[in-house]
Structures are given as C-alpha cells and as structure tokens.
C-alpha cells in the first residue's frame, strides 16, 4: 500500500500504534521490525517531513530494550539512504548511536548495520559530519574498538581510510585511531572451509595496509611496529611488514623517516644477508628501493641534513667491502642491495656507481678465474641495466661516461674468454652498452660488429653463437648504418666463399651466415640489404643438383621467415619484403615446376614437400600484416597466375611452357604441387580483401582435392578450399559451394580409390565450419562420426578429431585472420561427446578403439577447467581407453589424465585401485613415449590424499624398480622421480 501510494508511512505508524507502544519488548520489536522492513523498500518515496518525524521516533527508540535495538538500527539504515534528509539529522542520528548504543555487544549483522549507516552518511552528508570535528572520529573509534568479524572489518577499514583520505578532523585521536586499526596487524585469518562470504586473508591484508599507509601522521607509531615485526621469526609477518613499509614510502617524507632509518636499514640488511626465502629478499629490496626513492623526493632546506647522502653512505659502508672478499660469499646480497638503492633515482644511481663501478672494474682485473669474472661482470651488468632507466648518459655527472674505456675493455675481454658462460654475460653487457645513447663511439660499434661476427659464425658453442645473433638484431635497430655497411657485406662474403674445408664445416658456416643475416634484419634499411642476399643464395642453391640442396633451401626459407616476422610491425618493411620475396619465390617455383614438366633435372629440389612446406610460412608471414589496399594489389596478380597462367608480374618471366596448375594430365603434376604456395597466400589475406574470381577458384580447388593422386597436393588443395570457405561471407554463394562440396565428398567416401582424399576434404571443411559456428558443421561432424565404424577409414577418422580441435599452424587460425569463435572447443565437446560415448557402447569390438581415440583427442584439447567439471561422467570411459592396444589412444588418455590427477584429486581418488593397476601395466609398454607418460601419471598419483594411497605404497615402489633399469635414459629419469615421491609418501611434513 505504501509503495503504490494508498497509504503513507505515518498512517502505517498510526496503524502499528498498539505494537509500537506495547509494554512487551518483543511485541514492540516486531512492530518496529515491520516498520523498518517497509522503510528499507520505500525510503525513496518519503517526504522530508515524514523523514524528520521518523528520525526523531527512531532516535528515541535507541534507548529502548536491547531486543528492540536491531530493528531500530535497520530503520535508521533505511533513513540514512533518504535524499530528503534535513540538514542536521545525520549528525543527530550518529550522536545518538555513539551515545546510546554499545555497538560491540551487538550481533555481527547489527554491527554491520551501524557501519552501513556511517558509510551512507559519509558518502552523502560529508560536510555536516566534518562539522562534528574530532568528535566524529572519537565516536567511530568507540564503535569499532574490539571488532573481530572479517566482514565488518572490511567495512570498518574502508571507513577509516575515508576518514583520512577525505580529510576529516582526527584531532588528538591520531594515536587512538592508529591503535584501533593496527591491533589487527599482521592479519592472522584463515577462512573457514566452504566460506559463503568468500573473504580471503589477502582482502583483509590489503584493506588494512591501505589504512596504515594512508597518512604520515601514523609514521611515529607504525614504523616501530614494522621494525618489531621485521625482527620476529614469523615469515608472514616479515612479508606483510615489508610490503606495508614499501606502501608507506609513497607518502612519507624525510621528516617521518629520519629517526627510524638506521633501524630500518639494519633490519633490511640482516634479512637480505641471512634469509633463505626469495620472497623476503625480493620484498626487502623493494622496500630499500622505496626508502631511497622517498628520500630522493624530499626537498632540502638550507639548514637541514642531507638524509639521502648519509643513508647511502651507510649502505656503501656495509656492502662495498663485501665486493672485494676473496670467497665472494656476500657478493650477491651486497650487489642486490646496492642496485636496489641505485635504481631509486638518478641521484642515488650517480652516488652509488661513483663508488662501486671503479671497484668492480678493479676486481675484474684482479681476479683471473672465469667464474669469478663472470660474477663481477654480472654485477656490473646490473648497474649498466639501471642506467637504461635514465636514458641519455649525462656528461657532467655520469661515472659511467668517465669509465667508458675500462668498461668497454672489460666487456670486450669477456667476449674473447674461453668460458661460454662469461661470453654470454659479456654479450648481454654489450647489448646494454649499445642501448645507452651517446656512450659508444662509431669505432666501438665497429669493434662490436667484429666480435659479434666472430661469435656468431666461428664460436663452437651454439649458445654463444645464438646470443651473438640476438645481440646483433637488438643493436642493429640502434645503429642500422653501421650494421648495414659493416656486418651485412661480411656475412654475404662468408656465405658466398668456397672454402677448402670439410663439407660439414662449410655447411655449418653457411647455416650460421643465413641465421645471422636473418637475426640482424631488424631495421628496414638492413632488410633491403639482407633480403636480396638471401634470395640470391636460394637461387644459387636451386641451380645445384646435389641431394643436400633440399636442406639448404629449407635453411634459407627459415631465415626468410624470421625476417618476415621481424618486418610485420613496420608497414614499409612489410610491403618491401612482400613485393620482393613473394614474386621471387613464386617465379622460382614456377620455373622449377615447368622444368619438371619438360623433364629437366635442374631445380627439382624446390618441389620437394619439405621445401614447399618451408616456403608456406614465409609467404604467409609476408601477407598477414598487409594493409587491405596493398593486399588487394597483390591478390590481383597472384590469383590470375594460378587461374589464367598470367606470369607477367613475376621476375624472369620467360618460361618454356604455360603455367596450368589446375589443368589435367600427368605432366602437370609438378605444377599442381604449387597450390601449396597459393594456399599460403590467399588463406593469410585479411577477411575484408576481395579475392578475384573466387567462385571459380573454389571450384578448381574442390576438384583438385578430390581427384589428385598426390596426397600432398590433395591435402593443400583441401586446406586452401577450407581456408577460403571459413572467411567467405554467409549467403547463397557460400551455401551453393558447400552443397557442391558435399555432393563431391559423399560418393568419394562411399567407395573407390580416393576415399582418403574425400576424408581429408571432409575434415578440413568440417574444421572451417566448426570454427565459425556454421549450421552445416553438425551435419558434417555426424558424417565423420559415422566413419568411425568404418574398418578402413575409421582410424584416420578418429585421428581427424585431433585436427578439428587442435590449432592449425598454416591455415584456419586467428593469425591468418580466420573466423574463429570463442569457446568453439567447448561447444564441439557439448554437441559431440555424448554421440561418441553412445557410438562406443553400440560399436563392435573391432572399431571400439576408434571411438576411444576420437574421444581422447577431443578431451586432450579441451580447457582443463571444463574437463574437470565433466570428469565424473567420462572417467570410466577414460579408464577403459587405457586398456586399448592402440598406443595413440594410450598416449592421449594418459596426457589427459595427468593434469586431472593434480586438479581433481578427490574425484580421481575414487578410482585409485584401477588407476594404479593401469599405470603400472603401461610402464612396461613397448613404446617409450607411453612408458614415460605412464610414469608421469604414477608420479602425479602422489597428489591424491595420502590415506587413499598408503595401501598401494609397497606395491608401487616394487613395480617402479623395473623401469629404473630401462634402456632409455628419459624413462629412467621419470622412474627415479616417481619412485622417490612414493618413497616419501606419508613421511612427516609431507
């Protein structure tokens, strides 16, 4: 009635008169409870005068019997949300609550109601409450004092934070406010199991920290408390104290810290020197960094002490001498402390490096052992990396600039040291020096190039060689002219040289040259130099006739692929690479295919599957990041090449015969293989790029995929068809082409010599449609499910489920702009796993394995959280799959069960007897991969509840003794790890 306006609240009060004035407190309580419940639903409808009368009524009832108070507070909470509350009423209500209610004697919910009233008034009546001055702060302190419930504490901490952040008067009650909150520090709370409120210890820690670190006024009370907790034995207390100290430094100044700096430094130093905990060490270093940054921010008056300088002097005094100790025990802790302080500001960096860098350079020269030199250089590297934060090296202040010659000398000496580990640190240091603007001279950079070429090409250890190449790529972006003018010509010279040395060494050198050319191609100007060199070498290799040409061509393609990836984010470089490399590769491939057609031996290696497969990612990477305009320009040349034989855009386009990759006849088989390169191009185009003559192209691809005898060509044609179908706009044209595909597939699957080609096409088209949620996908999936009972195609159809669920490397993935909907795997699982299970139960014994294999492939690619929720219904089937003789089924099932043992131990423990038996049996499998997977699962079993496992302990330990003598090292390694865990099962502290 109140809601729809038939009754006013005051009329309701009159109607409740008997209850509200009853002498029985329970009756009065029920009356007020009903009134309060109405107000909680109707407070927005109240008039100002009504609110005034109700507030006065409720205030008077705060002096009533304790049974009535909870309902009174609920009514006041409703009134605190009224927008028409008259000025002064909020103060009046709070004064009454502070004066009349002993809050901590109330139940948790009623205390929460009081906090809600305060919160509501603070958000809507801030200026009125501030008029109370420090009395409001004192009143709240009384309300909160002794609170224990975490739900209420979260609200109370927020109120304290708002009191401080919104500048309420604290008056003489700063210490009392600190005491009433700091008594909870450090937070010691473990949520009960199945807690419906979801409050975690971390929530309370962060909420309390926000209070303690909200004002410098708490500093004189808080810092002694933090030092006390830092000196305790409790690790959680140390961590909390360190994190709180770090938070406080963001708002403290020199004045707050001055008195406590010696004690703080002493505690931090002790923890870093003595702790065995990485977490504590990390937080100590963060706190030291924050302290140094805080002191760096403080503005000094002319007569005040420079606290930062004296603080850094203490750090240097306590740490510097450890850098010179011969046993080097405290070298790293000292270096970390110095670096933490040095990284706080440019001023701290200059102050510390001025003292430490000359000492480190002296120690490097003094020590001769590679291991000690490596440690010293790693410390030096840490300081060099800090300089990167400040950018340009300042001439007037920088210690580093004054030490340029000795620093470079030390780094260069590390590069020539026999120790690989020292070389690696030297290469890192070299990269950092190169990034410091204004530090290296042009002659230094040329010397760096010499070192990098030597390491990249001639260093025996592959680690140093790879690191040198990475460094070259990093430095080339900073010094493109030097690398373009010095490094690229020398690499080209090495690549073309015909040395008198063994074939293996020469080939290894060529491989490294190719890798180095790719690595250094990180700037467009360098790409313009390296790409022609790589293409020229590919053409040179193509003209050879040796069997090794295949691998050499693959190596060049791998280098081109790396260059393509490095160009993708640069529009100019990407387009240069595309228009240079793609036509050249196509021309070479067309030339080779025509020579094959005319029975010329030269260039045959280029048509090998391995080489074409290596060219696919090059063309794809060169295409995916093109702008729609440039992609449209390119597609207008490439598609007519394959459909019309239009070769005019290719370099060296005088070919012995016409190019007809979709033509009939055995002589064109080599040309048909180049559909792989068409696939790489058209399936990588952005979705909004129109493909000329697309319907004709789709029909040709469909015909080729069904009629070609070459599995490689048929598969690439099917993939290309699927890639185009996936991006094709929905509508009649797509429906027609899909119907045509179904009409070609169905008879092909029934009988005849090309059933495998028809299955391949079915799989790829199904995948293309599953990814985009096309309605026809369910029909095609049903056809695939039906083939599982086929004795000839069943195993291949089962493996096809892996293809449907897995990420495809060359087509139908997001990187090549395919239409991939989120959660398509979960949808496929929901739609098809019940059918797989049903098919398994109804299948004959000779094809049951196909259903298990298909199921295991689907489950293997399903996100683990989804799999855990479905586990109870599928586990019995998975256990049955372990008995299957097919090793693929066994492997898939084991890899599926392994994470489930770790993530769903309670469910898995219900089947522990079966799991133990199956896993132990499979440790004797003839297949090494199955033995390893079974041992890993046996190891993972130890994550199940100990009480469940103890009866099997002896049996498992005895069974795992046999794989300890396995002939394969990897199997022995897994057996040792698994058996060790089973030995420790049930030990104290496990």
């Amino acid at each position: 009635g109140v809601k729809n306006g038939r009754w006013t609240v005051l009329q309701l009060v009159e109607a409740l008169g008997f209850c509200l004035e009853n002498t029985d407190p329970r009756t009065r309580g029920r009356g007020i409870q009903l009134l309060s419940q109405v107000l909680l639903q109707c407070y927005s409808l109240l008039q100002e005068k009504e609110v005034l009368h109700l507030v006065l009524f409720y205030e008077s009832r705060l002096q009533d019997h304790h049974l009535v108070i909870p309902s009174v507070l609920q009514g006041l909470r409703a009134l605190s949300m009224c927008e028409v509350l008259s000025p002064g009423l909020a103060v009046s209500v709070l004064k009454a609550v502070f004066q009349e209610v002993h809050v901590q004697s109330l139940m948790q919910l009623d205390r929460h109601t009081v906090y809600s009233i305060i919160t509501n008034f603070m958000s809507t009546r801030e200026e009125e409450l501030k008029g109370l001055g420090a009395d409001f702060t004192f009143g709240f302190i009384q309300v909160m004092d002794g609170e224990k419930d975490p739900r209420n504490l979260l609200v109370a901490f927020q109120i304290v934070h708002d009191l401080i952040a919104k500048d309420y008067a604290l008056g003489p009650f700063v210490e009392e406010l600190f005491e009433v909150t700091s008594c909870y520090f450090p937070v010691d709370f473990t949520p009960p199991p199945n807690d419906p409120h979801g409050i975690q210890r971390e929530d309370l820690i962060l909420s309390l920290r926000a209070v303690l670190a909200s004002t410098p006024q708490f500093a004189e009370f808080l810092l002694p408390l933090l030092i006390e907790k830092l000196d305790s034995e409790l690790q959680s207390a140390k961590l909390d104290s360190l994190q709180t100290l770090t938070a406080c430094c963001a708002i403290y100044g020199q004045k707050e810290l001055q008195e406590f700096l010696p004690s703080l430094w002493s505690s931090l130093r002790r923890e870093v020197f003595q702790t065995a905990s990485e977490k504590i060490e990390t937080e100590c270093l963060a706190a030291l960094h924050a302290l140094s940054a805080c002191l760096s921010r403080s503005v000094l008056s002319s007569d005040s002490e420079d606290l930062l300088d004296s603080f850094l002097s203490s750090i240097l005094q306590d740490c510097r001498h450890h850098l010179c100790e011969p046993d080097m025990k405290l070298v790293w802790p000292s270096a970390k402390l110095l670096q933490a302080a040095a990284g706080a500001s440019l001023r701290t960096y200059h102050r510390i490096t001025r003292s430490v860098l000359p000492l480190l350079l002296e120690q490097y020269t003094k020590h001769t052992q590679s291991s000690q030199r490596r440690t010293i250089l790693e410390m030096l590297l840490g300081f060099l990396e800090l300089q990167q934060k400040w950018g340009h090296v300042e001439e007037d202040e920088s210690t580093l600039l004054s030490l340029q010659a000795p620093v470079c000398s030390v780094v260069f000496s590390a590069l020539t040291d026999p120790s690989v580990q020292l070389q690696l640190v030297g290469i890192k240091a070299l990269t950092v020096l190169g990034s410091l603007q204004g530090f290296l001279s042009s002659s230094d950079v040329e010397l760096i190039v010499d070192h990098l070429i030597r390491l990249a090409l001639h260093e025996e250890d592959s680690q140093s060689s790879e690191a040198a190449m990475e460094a070259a790529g990093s430095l080339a972006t900073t010094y493109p002219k030097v690398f373009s003018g010095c490094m690229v010509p020398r690499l080209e010279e090495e690549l073309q040289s015909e040395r008198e040395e063994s074939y293996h060494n020469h080939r290894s050198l060529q491989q490294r040259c190719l890798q180095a050319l790719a690595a250094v191609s990180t700037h467009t100007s360098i790409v313009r130099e390296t790409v022609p060199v790589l293409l020229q070498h590919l053409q040179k290799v193509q003209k050879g006739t040796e069997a090794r040409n295949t691998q050499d061509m693959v190596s060049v393609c791998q280098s081109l692929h790396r260059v393509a990836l490095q160009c993708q984010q640069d529009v100019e470089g990407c387009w240069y690479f595309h228009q240079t490399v793609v036509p050249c590769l196509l021309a070479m491939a067309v030339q080779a295919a025509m020579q094959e057609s005319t029975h010329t031996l030269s260039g045959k290696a280029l048509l090998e599957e391995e080489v074409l497969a290596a060219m696919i990612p090059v063309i794809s990477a060169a295409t995916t990041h093109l702008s729609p305009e440039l992609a449209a320009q390119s597609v207008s040349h490439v598609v007519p090449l394959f459909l019309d034989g239009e070769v005019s855009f290719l370099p060296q386009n005088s070919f012995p015969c016409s190019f007809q990759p979709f033509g009939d006849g055995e002589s064109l088989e080599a040309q048909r293989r180049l559909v792989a390169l068409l696939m790489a191009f058209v399936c990588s185009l952005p979705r909004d790029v129109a493909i000329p003559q697309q319907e004709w192209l789709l029909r040709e691809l469909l015909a080729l995929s069904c009629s070609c005898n070459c599995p490689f060509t048929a598969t690439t044609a099917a993939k290309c068809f699927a890639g185009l179908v996936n991006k094709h706009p929905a509508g009649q044209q797509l429906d027609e082409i899909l119907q045509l595909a179904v009409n070609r597939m169905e008879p092909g699957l029934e009988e005849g010599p090309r059933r495998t080609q028809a299955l391949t096409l079915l799989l790829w088209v199904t995948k293309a449609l599953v990814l985009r949620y096309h309605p026809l996908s369910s029909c095609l999936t049903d056809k695939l499910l039906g083939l599982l009972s086929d004795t000839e195609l069943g195993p291949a159809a089962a493996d096809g489920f892996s293809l449907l669920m897995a990420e495809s490397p060359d087509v139908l993935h997001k990187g090549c702009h395919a239409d991939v909907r989120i959660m398509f795997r979960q949808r496929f699982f929901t739609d098809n796993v019940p059918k797989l299970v049903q098919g398994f139960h109804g299948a004959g014994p000779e094809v049951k394995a196909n259903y298990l294999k298909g199921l295991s492939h689907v489950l293997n690619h399903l996100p683990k959280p989804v799999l855990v929720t479905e586990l109870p219904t599928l586990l019995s089937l998975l256990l049955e799959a372990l008995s299957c003789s097919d090793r693929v089924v066994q492997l898939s099932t084991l890899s599926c069960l392994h994470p489930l043992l770790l993530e769903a131990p309670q469910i898995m423990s219900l089947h522990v007897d079966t799991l133990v038996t199956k896993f132990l049996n499979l440790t004797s499998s003839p297949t090494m991969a199955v033995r390893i997977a079974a041992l890993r699962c046996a190891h993972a079993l130890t994550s199940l509840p100990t009480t469940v496992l103890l009866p099997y302990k002896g049996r498992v330990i005895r069974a795992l003794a046999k794989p300890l003598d396995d002939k394969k090292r990897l199997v022995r390694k897994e057996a040792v790890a698994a058996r060790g865990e089973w030995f420790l099962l049930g030990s104290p502290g496990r």
Side-chain angles (χ1 to χ4, degrees):
V2 173
K3 273 188 175 180
N4 62 28
R6 285 189 294 114
W7 298 91
T8 66
V9 171
L10 294 181
Q11 285 175 314
L12 174 64
V13 173
E14 287 175 15
L16 286 169
F18 170 74
C19 293
L20 299 179
E21 294 173 357
N22 198 287
T23 55
D24 179 21
R26 287 181 178 77
T27 306
R28 290 200 306 280
R30 284 199 296 274
I32 294 173
Q33 183 183 18
L34 176 59
L35 178 60
S36 297
Q37 286 171 345
V38 171
L39 290 178
L40 283 168
Q41 293 194 47
C42 305
Y43 63 86
S44 61
L45 305 174
L46 298 177
Q47 303 297 314
E48 186 175 349
K49 192 175 181 182
E50 291 176 316
V51 174
L52 175 61
H53 288 301
L54 287 165
V55 166
L56 294 173
F57 168 71
Y58 273 103
E59 278 184 14
S60 67
R61 291 303 169 127
L62 285 173
Q63 300 172 9
D64 206 331
H65 195 279
H66 68 88
L67 291 174
V68 177
I69 298 300
S71 299
V72 175
L73 291 173
Q74 288 295 342
L76 287 172
R77 182 166 76 89
L79 294 170
S80 72
M81 293 186 279
C82 290
E83 293 181 10
V84 294
L85 197 72
S86 302
L89 285 183
V91 170
S92 173
V93 168
L94 288 180
K95 277 185 173 179
V97 170
F98 292 159
Q99 189 173 334
E100 303 296 344
V101 183
H102 184 249
V103 175
Q104 288 306 316
S105 66
L106 299 174
M107 300 291 283
Q108 178 270 326
L109 181 61
D110 303 324
R111 300 199 305 276
H112 194 278
T113 304
V114 175
Y115 295 126
S116 298
I117 294 168
I118 296 171
T119 301
N120 292 340
F121 283 145
M122 285 180 76
S123 62
T124 58
R125 298 286 188 273
E126 184 177 327
E127 292 308 316
E128 287 182 43
L129 300 193
K130 283 182 177 177
L132 273 171
D135 288 347
F136 175 58
T137 303
F138 180 67
F140 175 72
I141 289 170
Q142 288 181 304
V143 166
M144 182 184 172
D145 193 10
E147 181 60 68
K148 291 184 174 61
D149 191 279
R151 292 164 288 181
N152 291 349
L153 282 173
L154 283 177
V155 185
F157 289 155
Q158 186 59 50
I159 292 172
V160 179
H161 183 268
D162 289 345
L163 277 174
I164 296 165
K166 294 179 179 177
D167 209 21
Y168 283 76
L170 305 185
F173 303 116
V174 173
E175 186 172 1
E176 283 79 0
L177 188 61
F178 173 77
E179 292 295 338
V180 85
T181 50
S182 65
C183 62
Y184 301 101
F185 182 86
V187 171
D188 180 21
F189 168 68
T190 304
N194 306 317
D195 179 21
H197 309 291
I199 296 174
Q200 298 298 316
R201 180 171 174 268
E202 192 66 18
D203 300 327
L204 290 166
I205 287 174
L206 294 175
S207 189
L208 176 57
R209 185 176 301 150
V211 171
L212 297 177
S214 61
T215 174
Q217 294 180 75
F218 283 167
E220 61 179 302
F221 315 114
L222 177 60
L223 290 174
L225 176 64
L226 296 181
I227 292 166
E228 178 194 329
K229 299 301 179 187
L230 261 177
D231 296 342
S232 73
E233 296 299 316
L234 198 62
Q235 182 163 323
S236 60
K238 289 178 191 280
L239 281 172
D240 205 350
S241 301
L242 290 165
Q243 289 165 349
T244 304
L245 174 60
T246 301
C248 289
C249 287
I251 60 159
Y252 285 4
Q254 183 165 303
K255 182 180 75 170
E256 287 79 23
L257 292 172
Q258 183 168 6
E259 181 187 344
F260 304 101
L261 279 175
S263 299
L264 286 169
W265 164 238
S266 174
S267 297
L268 293 174
R269 182 191 64 217
R270 183 193 66 243
E271 289 303 324
V272 173
F273 280 173
Q274 296 178 6
T275 187
S277 164
E278 274 187 43
K279 276 187 184 176
I280 287 181
E281 181 187 272
T282 302
E283 294 301 337
C284 280
L285 297 175
L288 180 60
H289 181 278
L291 281 170
S292 304
C294 177
L295 295 174
S296 301
R297 285 194 303 271
S298 299
V299 178
L300 294 175
S301 58
S302 57
D303 58 343
S304 64
E305 180 191 353
D306 186 354
L307 272 187
L308 176 64
D309 193 63
S310 57
F311 183 59
L312 295 178
S313 295
S314 299
I315 296 172
L316 285 165
Q317 183 182 338
D318 290 343
C319 294
R320 191 175 181 274
H321 64 277
H322 289 305
L323 305 181
C324 309
E325 289 174 358
D327 58 359
M328 303 184 106
K329 269 185 186 174
L330 292 175
V331 159
W332 269 119
S334 301
K336 286 175 181 176
L337 287 165
L338 289 165
Q339 286 167 6
S345 68
L346 192 55
R347 190 175 160 213
T348 60
Y349 180 77
H350 287 319
R351 175 73 176 83
I352 286 178
T353 53
R354 192 163 62 240
S355 173
V356 171
L357 288 190
L359 179 66
L360 289 176
L361 293 169
E362 179 193 322
Q363 289 298 307
Y364 186 90
T365 311
K366 184 177 170 185
H367 288 89
T368 54
Q369 288 183 19
S370 294
S371 59
Q372 292 174 326
R373 285 190 157 193
R374 175 186 152 203
T375 301
I376 295 163
L377 188 57
E378 281 177 335
M379 289 189 284
L380 182 63
L381 174 61
F383 286 103
L384 294 178
E385 286 172 336
L386 289 175
Q387 175 69 58
Q388 287 179 303
K389 288 174 66 175
W390 318 116
H392 189 73
V393 182
E394 302 280 342
E395 284 190 36
D396 52 343
E397 287 191 61
S398 176
T399 308
L400 195 56
L401 208 59
S402 66
L403 296 170
Q404 185 204 23
V407 167
C408 286
S409 173
V410 161
V411 173
F412 290 154
S413 77
L415 299 178
T416 55
D417 194 273
S419 164
V420 172
Q421 297 306 315
L422 183 53
Q423 283 178 18
L424 292 173
V425 182
I427 292 167
K428 277 187 195 171
L430 203 62
T431 310
V432 175
L433 289 180
S435 69
L436 300 178
Q437 191 181 353
F439 185 78
L440 294 175
S441 65
S442 56
S443 59
D444 288 331
V445 180
E446 287 175 13
L447 186 56
I448 285 172
V449 169
D450 288 341
H451 280 295
L452 291 177
I453 290 174
R454 175 183 57 78
L455 289 166
L457 301 187
H458 305 296
E459 176 57 46
E460 284 185 22
D461 188 86
S462 61
Q463 275 183 291
S464 293
S465 174
E466 288 165 14
M469 292 181 200
E470 291 297 329
S474 176
L475 293 171
T477 57
T478 312
Y479 308 98
K481 284 186 179 177
V482 180
F483 278 81
S484 182
C486 295
M487 190 165 190
V488 176
R490 288 177 58 183
L491 290 172
E492 182 181 7
E493 185 184 331
E494 290 279 4
L495 188 63
Q496 293 174 349
S497 65
E498 298 292 338
R499 294 171 178 249
E500 292 294 326
E501 55 188 335
S502 71
Y503 158 69
H504 176 76
N505 289 342
H506 178 60
R507 185 144 176 268
S508 175
L509 178 64
Q510 286 204 333
Q511 289 263 53
R512 286 195 176 185
C513 282
L514 293 170
Q515 290 166 359
L517 282 165
V520 80
S521 302
T522 51
H523 191 278
T524 304
S525 63
I526 301 174
V527 171
R528 291 179 181 274
E529 301 288 333
T530 55
V531 164
V533 174
L534 291 168
L535 291 175
Q536 185 182 350
H537 185 68
L538 184 63
Q539 288 165 338
K540 177 184 171 184
V541 174
Q542 184 194 13
K543 290 170 186 172
T545 55
E546 300 98 329
R548 68 171 186 261
N549 285 3
T550 299
Q551 188 53 50
D552 290 344
M553 285 182 172
V554 169
S555 298
V556 181
C557 289
Q558 287 168 345
S559 291
L560 285 169
H561 181 228
R562 179 170 179 174
V563 178
L565 293 174
Q566 289 166 182
C567 288
Q568 284 181 338
Q569 303 309 319
D570 175 62
V571 176
E572 182 192 345
C574 185
W575 179 236
Y576 167 77
F577 185 91
H578 182 89
Q579 66 177 352
T580 306
V581 173
V582 173
C584 183
L585 292 182
L586 289 172
M588 291 171 66
V590 169
Q591 181 78 41
M594 289 183 177
Q595 287 170 345
E596 176 80 0
S597 302
T598 55
H599 307 293
T600 309
L601 288 174
S602 177
K604 187 175 180 180
L606 198 63
L607 302 175
E608 295 285 343
E609 280 183 32
E610 198 178 346
V611 178
L612 290 173
M615 292 169 78
I616 288 170
V618 179
I619 295 173
S620 179
T623 307
T624 51
H625 284 64
L626 289 180
S627 67
E629 298 76 25
L630 295 176
Q633 187 179 326
S634 190
V635 77
S636 67
H637 296 304
V638 176
V639 173
L641 167 68
F642 282 84
L643 288 178
D644 306 318
E646 179 53 63
V647 296
S648 58
F649 84 102
L650 298 178
Q652 307 157 356
N653 53 20
S654 55
F655 300 113
C657 58
S658 59
F659 183 55
Q660 300 173 294
F662 293 114
D664 295 325
E666 286 187 23
S667 62
L668 298 176
E669 181 56 48
Q671 294 187 20
R672 285 196 281 270
R673 294 168 78 82
L674 302 194
V675 169
L677 305 185
L678 173 67
M679 174 198 77
F681 175 77
V682 293
C683 290
S684 301
L685 291 167
R687 254 186 273 178
D688 51 357
V689 174
I691 296 173
Q693 308 173 83
Q694 184 170 7
E695 305 313 311
W696 178 19
L697 178 60
L698 283 165
R699 289 169 188 271
E700 293 286 10
L701 288 167
L702 181 59
L704 185 60
S705 66
C706 292
S707 61
C708 185
N709 292 321
C710 171
F712 175 77
T713 304
T715 301
T716 50
K719 288 163 76 172
C720 190
F721 179 83
L724 292 174
V725 161
N726 173 264
K727 297 180 190 178
H728 199 296
Q732 187 181 350
Q733 281 187 324
L734 178 61
D735 294 341
E736 287 176 3
I737 200 72
L738 286 174
Q739 189 56 52
L740 191 63
V742 171
N743 294 343
R744 291 294 294 265
M745 281 187 286
E746 284 183 336
L749 288 168
E750 293 301 323
E751 56 186 11
R754 295 197 177 93
R755 295 186 76 198
T756 304
Q757 284 94 322
L759 174 61
T760 302
L761 180 63
L762 171 64
L763 286 169
W764 283 104
V765 174
T766 304
K767 183 177 178 73
L769 300 183
V770 163
L771 293 179
R772 63 180 280 179
Y773 291 176
H774 191 279
L776 186 61
S777 63
S778 57
C779 173
L780 296 183
T781 308
D782 288 343
K783 288 185 187 297
L784 188 60
L785 286 164
L787 289 171
L788 292 175
S789 59
D790 187 296
T791 50
E792 182 189 350
L793 291 181
D799 284 330
F801 282 91
S802 176
L803 186 150
L804 295 181
M805 297 292 281
E807 188 83 8
S808 174
D810 43 13
V811 293
L812 296 176
H813 59 86
K814 285 185 178 178
C816 63
H817 312 289
D819 185 355
V820 181
R821 304 297 174 90
I822 60 169
M823 298 175 70
F824 78 89
R825 291 184 177 89
Q826 287 90 318
R827 180 169 175 167
F828 187 87
F829 170 87
T830 306
D831 291 347
N832 296 294
V833 163
K835 298 175 186 176
L836 277 167
V837 173
Q838 186 181 356
F840 169 79
H841 290 305
E846 70 282 358
V847 294
K848 272 186 181 289
N850 297 336
Y851 289 90
L852 287 175
K853 189 190 287 188
L855 178 67
S856 63
H857 283 315
V858 173
L859 298 182
N860 238 329
H861 292 94
L862 200 64
K864 292 300 174 276
V866 180
L867 187 53
V868 169
T869 59
E870 300 292 338
L871 185 58
T873 56
L874 293 171
L875 189 53
S876 59
L877 208 56
L878 286 171
L879 294 175
E880 196 165 340
L882 289 177
S883 304
C884 178
S885 58
D886 189 311
R887 66 182 181 84
V888 176
V889 176
Q890 292 172 348
L891 259 179
S892 296
T893 310
L894 288 168
S895 60
C896 186
L897 287 171
H898 183 267
L900 296 175
L901 289 164
L902 305 173
E903 293 170 29
Q906 297 302 327
I907 300 171
M908 300 299 277
S909 61
L910 300 174
H911 302 267
V912 65
D913 190 67
T914 310
L915 289 167
V916 168
T917 304
K918 303 275 189 189
F919 292 158
L920 293 182
N921 287 343
L922 290 173
T923 60
S924 303
S925 166
T927 307
M928 183 182 83
V930 173
R931 297 201 300 278
I932 289 173
L935 286 165
R936 284 178 181 160
C937 286
H939 187 168
L941 273 174
T942 56
S943 63
L944 303 190
T946 304
T947 50
V948 175
L949 295 176
L950 281 174
Y952 302 93
K953 181 175 177 179
R955 174 185 164 194
V956 172
I957 290 172
R958 284 192 300 275
L960 293 180
K962 183 183 175 186
L964 291 176
D965 296 325
D966 198 280
K967 58 185 177 182
K968 296 292 184 181
R969 183 183 62 82
L970 292 175
V971 177
R972 297 196 298 272
K973 179 183 171 186
E974 294 295 339
V976 168
R979 198 162 185 256
E981 280 300 314
W982 276 90
F983 261 117
L984 293 171
L985 196 70
S987 304
R990 297 293 292 178

